[in-house]
Amino acid sequence: MTKSVNIFVLNWNGENIIGDCLESLMNAKYNNKNIIVIDNGSTDDSIKYIQQKFPSIQIIPIKENLKYSKGNNFGFKKVEKSDFSIFLNNDTIVDPNFISNIINPFNYDKNIAQVAPKILYDNSKLIWYAGGRVNLWLGLVYHIGIRKKDQPKYNLKREIDYATGCCFAVRSSIFESVGMFDELFEMYCEDVDLSLMIKKSGKKIIYAPESIIWHKVSYSIGGENSLKKILLKNKAKFHLALKHLNPLFISISFIFITILLCFEIIFTIIKKSK
């Protein structure tokens, strides 16, 4: 029997973009899928739009915006548990074989707990994510291949440090056993934290390039290089270091995070002024 998959799409005021995502999910080839929209306190007509255009899709409404971690945890706890759970941004479009290709690695290695797909920038062949790397000492959290043209070296399945919260699949039992998303992370690095917890439990995280999606980057907060995104991301890095590093090395990490933050702000200001 085909393993069951719950696909959680967290939505906040995504009336203008979520249709493309849900349409692609409806067309994805997989026999035992359940698409769930977690509406995170939207103030637009998202719920009405989904009900009219996608009446078969389950909607879990939340009265207020609980942010990424709390919103996804809330939705996960509200539905019947599946063998696997996929968490997906509402500003994405998935390949027709996306689900089967992201689930396949689990069937060959019981030690694999989390799988991430290849993610391309919307309407392009440029890489947004081809695996994730983390160096907490230096305050580095980055995507492999970002802004590079897709090429054969990004088609190699491999173990990675973390799966991006934009999209990943996870064994539902493992997700529960590590405590789900840490709700102290309001936005950014909750995905890194989850992966670090999974690795601490002795499990693997795999990049599966056969599974492909396209991402309209950071639509909800003003674009990839928005100042708001940079500040939120680095605030989360400080919390990540506090949680996972030996206390003896936290001050070193904080220095590097602060230096990188200053460079990012200066670069963003210069870029926006041109």
Side-chain angles (χ1 to χ4, degrees):
M1 182 179 177
T2 305
K3 298 286 187 179
S4 59
V5 178
N6 283 339
I7 306 169
F8 296 97
V9 182
L10 189 67
N11 178 69
W12 179 72
N13 289 346
E15 179 187 1
N16 294 327
I17 57 167
I18 196 169
D20 292 339
C21 176
L22 297 181
E23 187 73 37
S24 67
L25 285 173
M26 293 288 288
N27 292 329
K29 303 171 186 177
Y30 197 82
N31 293 330
N32 197 2
K33 65 183 179 184
N34 183 29
I35 305 168
I36 303 124
V37 173
I38 306 167
D39 189 76
N40 219 357
S42 291
T43 55
D44 64 2
D45 289 326
S46 288
I47 291 179
K48 182 179 178 181
Y49 169 78
I50 296 165
Q51 288 173 333
Q52 290 179 344
K53 190 163 184 181
F54 305 97
S56 65
I57 289 179
Q58 180 180 357
I59 303 173
I60 298 175
I62 304 175
K63 292 182 180 180
E64 59 181 318
N65 187 351
L66 299 181
K67 304 295 177 59
Y68 183 94
S69 294
K70 287 185 180 180
N72 274 313
N73 286 349
F74 183 93
F76 179 84
K77 290 183 284 188
K78 283 289 184 180
V79 300
E80 183 178 348
K81 300 302 176 288
S82 56
D83 295 305
F84 304 104
S85 295
I86 294 175
F87 293 91
L88 181 69
N89 277 14
N90 67 347
D91 56 354
T92 57
I93 296 173
V94 307
D95 179 81
N97 297 310
F98 153 75
I99 301 173
S100 57
N101 284 336
I102 204 172
I103 296 301
N104 279 341
F106 293 113
N107 299 323
Y108 299 105
D109 188 343
K110 292 182 179 180
N111 207 35
I112 293 174
Q114 194 177 25
V115 180
K118 177 191 288 184
I119 304 176
L120 302 172
Y121 282 93
D122 187 38
N123 293 321
S124 80
K125 293 183 178 181
L126 291 180
I127 295 288
W128 184 74
Y129 174 93
R133 294 297 183 205
V134 182
N135 186 322
L136 291 181
W137 282 33
L138 297 179
L140 293 175
V141 177
Y142 63 93
H143 295 183
I144 296 170
I146 189 166
R147 301 183 191 91
K148 303 294 185 181
K149 187 175 180 180
D150 194 10
Q151 51 189 294
K153 69 178 180 178
Y154 300 123
N155 292 331
L156 302 175
K157 187 179 295 182
R158 59 181 175 271
E159 192 169 352
I160 54 177
D161 292 338
Y162 80 97
T164 173
C166 172
C167 179
F168 66 82
V170 63
R171 294 186 192 272
S172 299
S173 59
I174 297 294
F175 183 66
E176 284 189 294
S177 70
V178 299
M180 303 187 289
F181 289 110
D182 183 341
E183 296 182 0
L184 292 177
F185 291 91
E186 291 188 358
M187 195 171 190
Y188 295 110
C189 290
E190 62 284 295
D191 49 359
V192 183
D193 173 69
L194 177 67
S195 291
L196 291 177
M197 295 301 293
I198 287 172
K199 279 185 167 288
K200 285 180 179 179
S201 73
K203 301 297 182 181
K204 297 178 184 177
I205 303 166
I206 297 295
Y207 166 64
E210 301 89 351
S211 184
I212 300 171
I213 73 170
W214 291 264
H215 182 27
K216 301 168 186 177
V217 178
S218 300
Y219 176 90
S220 64
I221 60 168
E224 183 181 22
N225 293 309
S226 71
L227 187 59
K228 181 178 180 180
K229 174 177 178 177
I230 291 169
L231 294 174
L232 287 170
K233 182 177 66 175
N234 282 276
K235 177 184 176 183
K237 281 185 183 180
F238 284 118
H239 181 55
L240 197 68
L242 278 172
K243 181 174 179 178
H244 291 281
L245 274 181
N246 184 309
L248 295 174
F249 303 115
I250 288 175
S251 58
I252 298 173
S253 178
F254 274 25
I255 291 171
F256 280 109
I257 292 172
T258 302
I259 292 171
L260 288 173
L261 171 60
C262 292
F263 276 113
E264 280 189 276
I265 292 173
I266 293 170
F267 175 79
T268 300
I269 293 172
I270 293 173
K271 188 172 182 179
K272 287 183 179 295
S273 66
K274 290 183 179 180

